[in-house]
Amino acid sequence: MSNKFEKRKKVVYSLICDDLYTPMKFKELAMLLRVSKEERDELRQILEALEQEGKIYLSKRGKYCKGHAKRLTGVFRASLKGFGFVVLDEGDTDDVFIGADDTCGAFDGDHVEVVISKEPEGRSREGKIVKILERGILKVVGLYQKKPGKNYGFVIPDNQRFDQDIFIPVERSKGAVDGHKVLVELTSYGEDGKKPEGKIVEIIGHINDPGTDIMSIVKGYDLPVEFPEKVLKQAERVAKPVSEADMNGRKDLRDWQMVTIDGEDAKDLDDAVSLTKEGENYVLGVHIADVTNYVQENSALDREALERGTSVYLVDRVIPMLPHTLSNGMCSLNAGEDRLALSCIMTVDPSGDVIAHEIAETVIHVDRRMSYTSVKKILADHDEAEIEEYRELVPMFERMQELSGILRARRKKRGSIDFDFPETKMILDEQGRPVEIKPYDRNVATKIIEDFMLLANETVAEDYYWQELPFVYRTHEAPDEEKIRTLATFINNFGYSMHIGANEIRPKEIQKLLSKVEDTPEEAMISRLALRSMKQAKYTAENDGHFGLAANYYTHFTSPIRRYPDLQIHRIIKDNLRGRMNESKIEHYQSILPEVAKRSSEMERRADEAERETIKLKKVEYMQAHIGEIFEGVISGITKWGMYVELPNTIEGLVHVTNMTDDHYEYDEARYEMIGMHTRKVYKLGEKIMIKVLDADRLMRTIDFKIASKGDIEDGEE
């Protein structure tokens, strides 16, 4: 910095510090200091420098004041369009909008310091980032491209929020060649207008090799792949067959009729079910693998499981939370073998109320391993061969169907919301190429298990809530009032209304709305908008209830093989059952649970995103074989850049506004409609349309459609 600049800075600063100074806008300051038009840029730089140093700040009315503005900290979330939002650290729910020029060189995920510059009525607060506290992205996955004849190359990041290529000098390229997918460690973030730089730390594989695509996502989300040697050894040591000593003091349920019901390809079976009747009441047993018997608190296994937080189910592989020796071995409730369990045994009356329950350490012996398909064949298709094969179990399945119906009706009555969106089922060939994509089937059997698990989770949560013991709950907050009002205004267009109380919305209202729109053309759209107005469920150490299930108490108890919170509460339950829950134990749990809940929620998000990303990728790959073909779809989303259309097999593509060539279309935000300016043609959410597949880009993971013209459709029918 020149001496002159520093001197002028002092002059400006002492003026602002003067007792007689009243806060002024830039123009007023320039006039007072008699700064000519040509020198105004320098004055701007001086004020910015003083602002960076925290000596002065810009008030919300745009006036310069002494001292420094209240600086808030948070995580920057970049959009694909250059601007972004800062999600604040301290309990402040509203994010701060950051314009593209005010990011201060921050990348997605960076921990930053931000000052508020504007608080417009009824819109997001605006701010600018003044300091980067910690970089969020340390490693990036991308495609390596060598510059011909030069001793360097670039990596084009997969993560589109990281919008700059990364410069790689040849000596840091680890011998990568053109077309390699690589993992890069960033060495600089492109300060002073330079490109970010990095060094390649791992070559994942060539872009055309099978499996490289999924592996790139795994590395991009920093998902752990291998277990450390120490953890594997420990798993082998503890995975011993159930002995007499193990069974000591446990309730012996080995002679109870009991099954597991799962998908055909499931390997980690963590829940078994039993059901008998006593008079008019049902006795439902939900028996969960006693994983904590093998995973001791703070052992290497436990620390690794907490680190992972959850198993991740990708289209071509599972990345388990616990090593296979446990998850598919001793902890899996395999038929025909003795297993240790934690059982929740509930007596349910004919109206679906749990009138008594017992939570106990048990030893069980599963009779048969059932699949959803086969139970559906028995109950829905009345398939004779299947009924014959499982003859001794059929009466129990029939009771299960009965009880499931009662429980579902009871939940519906209290207002539980059932979003029935099809998940995607994907069939891949040996090369990892998608050969078939279809909606995942929810049938009578999947619903039985769902209903029983929900009931066990609620029962356990309520029990521990009233015992006032430290616990991990699965909570779901009520939606933001603003979002619900927007939804209410929007559904008015279709002649529906919703009752919103003084300051709360009840789940019942959303449930009523969903049943009103059932089987109407706008069903898919309104359900989707209702879902988007919801918050995400998370794990917390406090019980705040579950809005979507309309439940006052809810937890995750039924899957300790694949979710850490379940494992955590099993430990608490067992300490309590064994009379070990003394003052110091209570304090210990109180101190660790908030962090366990937060970590588990974060890892669940990461797993969800990675799962979605791999599915998206395979959908794009699948559509590459269908370019030029015509399909019927439903308009599932409308934005100012175009319309999203979803096909019956759950694949979604974008009809970009530039590909809507028959007119100039404008987006009507309030009505979620695209309107042609000349023809007045209207496209609405939920409308069925015919589309033609234009392109599927695997690098960008996008699918492009255009609206099929009459000519396209006729050609397609020939």
Side-chain angles (χ1 to χ4, degrees):
M1 284 283 170
S2 70
N3 226 348
K4 192 170 100 185
F5 184 83
E6 284 303 320
K7 269 189 187 146
R8 288 184 169 175
K9 205 162 94 179
K10 272 199 178 111
V11 170
V12 174
Y13 184 50
S14 59
L15 166 75
I16 293 176
C17 291
D18 193 299
D19 290 344
L20 297 170
Y21 170 79
T22 53
M24 296 181 185
K25 290 189 169 171
F26 179 75
K27 261 192 179 151
E28 299 168 318
L29 259 176
M31 280 160 71
L32 181 70
L33 290 162
R34 301 208 178 94
V35 177
S36 65
K37 284 243 167 39
E38 299 75 49
E39 288 184 316
R40 285 198 174 175
D41 266 358
E42 192 190 11
L43 177 60
R44 236 179 244 290
Q45 283 167 3
I46 287 172
L47 291 166
E48 272 177 15
L50 288 168
E51 227 181 315
Q52 284 285 353
E53 290 163 27
K55 290 180 173 164
I56 67 169
Y57 70 95
L58 200 53
S59 78
K60 288 171 192 139
R61 297 214 166 84
K63 297 182 174 186
Y64 288 95
C65 313
K66 177 188 158 188
H68 80 84
K70 183 161 165 241
R71 296 193 170 191
L72 304 168
T73 58
V75 175
F76 180 58
R77 288 281 164 233
S79 76
L80 303 179
K81 308 261 183 295
F83 62 85
F85 290 89
V86 170
V87 182
L88 298 175
D89 293 337
E90 279 315 309
D92 202 325
T93 49
D94 296 331
D95 302 343
V96 180
F97 174 82
I98 308 289
D101 300 335
D102 296 327
T103 60
C104 188
F107 287 111
D108 186 60
D110 287 352
H111 197 220
V112 297
E113 216 170 54
V114 61
V115 297
I116 305 291
S117 53
K118 269 194 202 137
E119 296 204 27
E121 267 300 298
R123 289 213 317 276
S124 292
R125 290 179 294 177
E126 295 174 24
K128 58 193 222 179
I129 293 174
V130 287
K131 197 172 180 188
I132 292 162
L133 301 171
E134 192 185 358
R135 291 289 184 179
I137 296 180
L138 308 173
K139 292 181 179 162
V140 172
V141 171
L143 180 65
Y144 180 71
Q145 291 189 334
K146 178 94 173 70
K147 281 286 172 230
K150 298 272 196 257
N151 63 347
Y152 60 84
F154 285 98
V155 168
I156 303 159
D158 282 3
N159 178 352
Q160 293 169 24
R161 292 193 165 90
F162 199 101
D163 58 355
Q164 298 192 47
D165 298 348
I166 300 157
F167 177 83
I168 311 285
V170 69
E171 65 279 6
R172 296 185 147 192
S173 66
K174 218 177 170 150
V177 302
D178 221 37
H180 263 151
K181 289 302 284 277
V182 295
L183 182 64
V184 180
E185 195 173 284
L186 287 157
T187 52
S188 91
Y189 288 83
E191 289 83 4
D192 309 326
K194 289 207 199 86
K195 284 244 184 237
E197 281 192 33
K199 64 173 189 193
I200 292 176
V201 288
E202 185 180 345
I203 293 171
I204 298 167
H206 195 274
I207 187 161
N208 298 331
D209 295 346
T212 297
D213 51 1
I214 302 280
M215 215 46 209
S216 300
I217 291 173
V218 168
K219 296 286 180 189
Y221 280 99
D222 199 15
L223 293 167
V225 186
E226 305 299 328
F227 281 97
E229 196 53 39
K230 191 171 158 193
V231 173
L232 290 171
K233 286 229 163 65
Q234 194 171 41
E236 270 161 35
R237 271 205 312 280
V238 298
K240 296 279 179 284
V242 177
S243 66
E244 280 303 319
D246 288 331
M247 296 188 213
N248 264 348
R250 285 179 175 260
K251 196 178 173 95
D252 190 341
L253 310 180
R254 284 176 295 178
D255 55 352
W256 285 27
Q257 189 178 52
M258 193 178 292
V259 294
T260 57
I261 310 178
D262 290 273
E264 270 87 350
D265 38 11
K267 299 197 176 53
D268 46 356
L269 314 178
D270 41 23
D271 50 278
V273 285
S274 62
L275 185 62
T276 53
K277 278 193 93 166
E278 276 178 11
E280 55 170 16
N281 295 331
Y282 298 86
V283 179
L284 168 64
V286 172
H287 313 278
I288 307 299
D290 186 355
V291 182
T292 55
N293 191 69
Y294 305 95
V295 182
Q296 302 298 319
E297 179 168 14
N298 230 341
S299 61
L301 263 171
D302 183 43
R303 287 198 298 271
E304 181 71 18
L306 175 58
E307 183 66 25
R308 295 178 176 228
T310 174
S311 296
V312 187
Y313 294 82
L314 303 177
V315 286
D316 65 342
R317 71 194 74 197
V318 176
I319 302 176
M321 178 174 88
L322 296 168
H324 286 305
T325 23
L326 289 175
S327 59
N328 303 350
M330 265 329 285
C331 290
S332 190
L333 304 180
N334 301 335
E337 298 182 31
D338 290 351
R339 286 287 186 263
L340 303 180
L342 203 51
S343 299
C344 178
I345 302 158
M346 297 160 277
T347 307
V348 186
D349 72 11
S351 63
D353 284 318
V354 177
I355 51 176
H357 74 275
E358 177 188 8
I359 300 169
E361 293 183 73
T362 55
V363 52
I364 62 171
H365 189 100
V366 171
D367 296 311
R368 297 293 287 261
R369 178 203 164 155
M370 303 297 299
S371 71
Y372 292 130
T373 315
S374 130
V375 174
K376 171 187 171 275
K377 277 185 183 163
I378 293 168
L379 293 174
D381 310 339
H382 307 293
D383 180 308
E384 282 173 19
E386 209 74 16
I387 290 173
E388 189 47 48
E389 157 86 353
Y390 299 108
R391 170 166 297 238
E392 76 290 0
L393 295 168
V394 171
M396 179 166 76
F397 294 140
E398 286 168 346
R399 285 195 293 275
M400 286 181 171
Q401 186 175 13
E402 239 173 73
L403 179 59
S404 163
I406 292 171
L407 294 175
R408 199 154 275 254
R410 183 172 173 279
R411 274 207 320 277
K412 186 170 181 183
K413 194 169 144 199
R414 72 175 189 208
S416 173
I417 306 166
D418 186 15
F419 285 108
D420 199 359
F421 286 119
E423 286 180 38
T424 305
K425 177 101 175 128
M426 223 170 247
I427 322 290
L428 306 180
D429 65 12
E430 268 70 82
Q431 293 295 301
R433 281 189 296 260
V435 285
E436 193 187 353
I437 293 181
K438 55 186 185 190
Y440 180 77
D441 181 31
R442 260 179 92 183
N443 59 37
V444 51
T446 60
K447 286 180 178 169
I448 286 174
I449 292 301
E450 201 177 296
D451 293 330
F452 292 177
M453 297 307 131
L454 283 172
L455 193 67
N457 285 334
E458 275 189 60
T459 304
V460 171
E462 181 167 8
D463 184 327
Y464 276 75
Y465 174 75
W466 288 109
Q467 290 196 53
E468 297 187 354
L469 289 171
F471 212 57
V472 177
Y473 296 94
R474 177 74 170 169
T475 55
H476 184 219
E477 292 171 76
D480 283 333
E481 213 181 321
E482 201 178 313
K483 285 195 166 156
I484 289 295
R485 289 202 185 284
T486 315
L487 177 67
T489 316
F490 172 71
I491 61 174
N492 271 337
N493 296 335
F494 291 89
Y496 299 104
S497 63
M498 251 161 96
H499 174 71
I500 305 173
N503 52 5
E504 64 164 355
I505 167 85
R506 295 188 177 279
K508 190 89 181 149
E509 285 304 310
I510 291 176
Q511 182 215 56
K512 272 197 225 148
L513 172 69
L514 294 181
S515 60
K516 275 189 242 163
V517 299
E518 215 169 313
D519 300 328
T520 63
E522 57 269 9
E523 175 179 19
M525 156 191 62
I526 289 180
S527 307
R528 218 178 230 110
L529 290 175
L531 183 61
R532 281 185 200 152
S533 67
M534 296 287 188
K535 294 205 167 160
Q536 281 178 310
K538 57 179 190 282
Y539 297 106
T540 52
E542 271 73 53
N543 174 38
D544 299 321
H546 196 293
F547 180 84
L549 292 168
N552 292 327
Y553 319 93
Y554 198 66
T555 187
H556 274 171
F557 161 78
T558 53
S559 295
I561 296 178
R562 60 186 184 86
R563 292 188 301 225
Y564 195 83
D566 307 51
L567 185 66
Q568 176 67 70
I569 68 167
H570 276 216
R571 244 178 230 137
I572 293 173
I573 292 171
K574 285 173 67 171
D575 275 343
N576 189 35
L577 290 175
R578 295 178 176 187
R580 291 197 298 233
M581 195 50 94
N582 54 22
E583 275 307 301
S584 68
K585 259 275 160 27
I586 289 180
E587 270 170 35
H588 163 69
Y589 283 129
Q590 278 168 341
S591 68
I592 65 169
L593 292 185
E595 194 41 53
V596 166
K598 183 167 172 274
R599 171 86 193 163
S600 302
S601 300
E602 284 165 4
M603 292 305 98
E604 178 190 23
R605 294 278 163 278
R606 176 177 79 168
D608 284 348
E609 283 177 25
E611 285 168 33
R612 269 204 301 274
E613 219 40 47
T614 50
I615 287 176
K616 212 155 108 186
L617 178 80
K618 288 299 171 194
K619 285 179 171 179
V620 174
E621 195 179 334
Y622 179 80
M623 285 318 265
Q624 283 181 319
H626 298 277
I627 289 173
E629 292 180 28
I630 310 284
F631 295 96
E632 182 182 57
V634 170
I635 299 176
S636 54
I638 297 186
T639 63
K640 51 178 174 296
W641 57 86
M643 310 191 294
Y644 289 93
V645 176
E646 189 177 305
L647 308 183
N649 61 7
T650 74
I651 288 178
E652 197 173 51
L654 176 67
V655 178
H656 200 280
V657 105
T658 51
N659 292 323
M660 297 172 71
T661 47
D662 62 331
D663 197 347
H664 171 69
Y665 285 89
E666 292 275 329
Y667 169 48
D668 179 346
E669 201 170 348
R671 300 175 69 96
Y672 292 94
E673 290 177 353
M674 269 294 182
I675 303 166
M677 289 295 95
H678 304 296
T679 55
R680 307 308 293 169
K681 180 156 181 40
V682 175
Y683 287 104
K684 292 179 160 65
L685 262 177
E687 188 178 323
K688 283 190 172 167
I689 60 170
M690 303 296 289
I691 55 91
K692 182 176 184 173
V693 185
L694 278 182
D695 190 24
D697 181 336
R698 271 179 69 186
L699 260 185
M700 300 292 280
R701 298 186 198 137
T702 54
I703 299 171
D704 284 318
F705 294 157
K706 79 177 186 81
I707 296 164
S709 64
K710 280 214 168 58
D712 291 331
I713 294 167
E714 281 153 13
D715 293 345
E717 282 168 357
E718 275 171 24

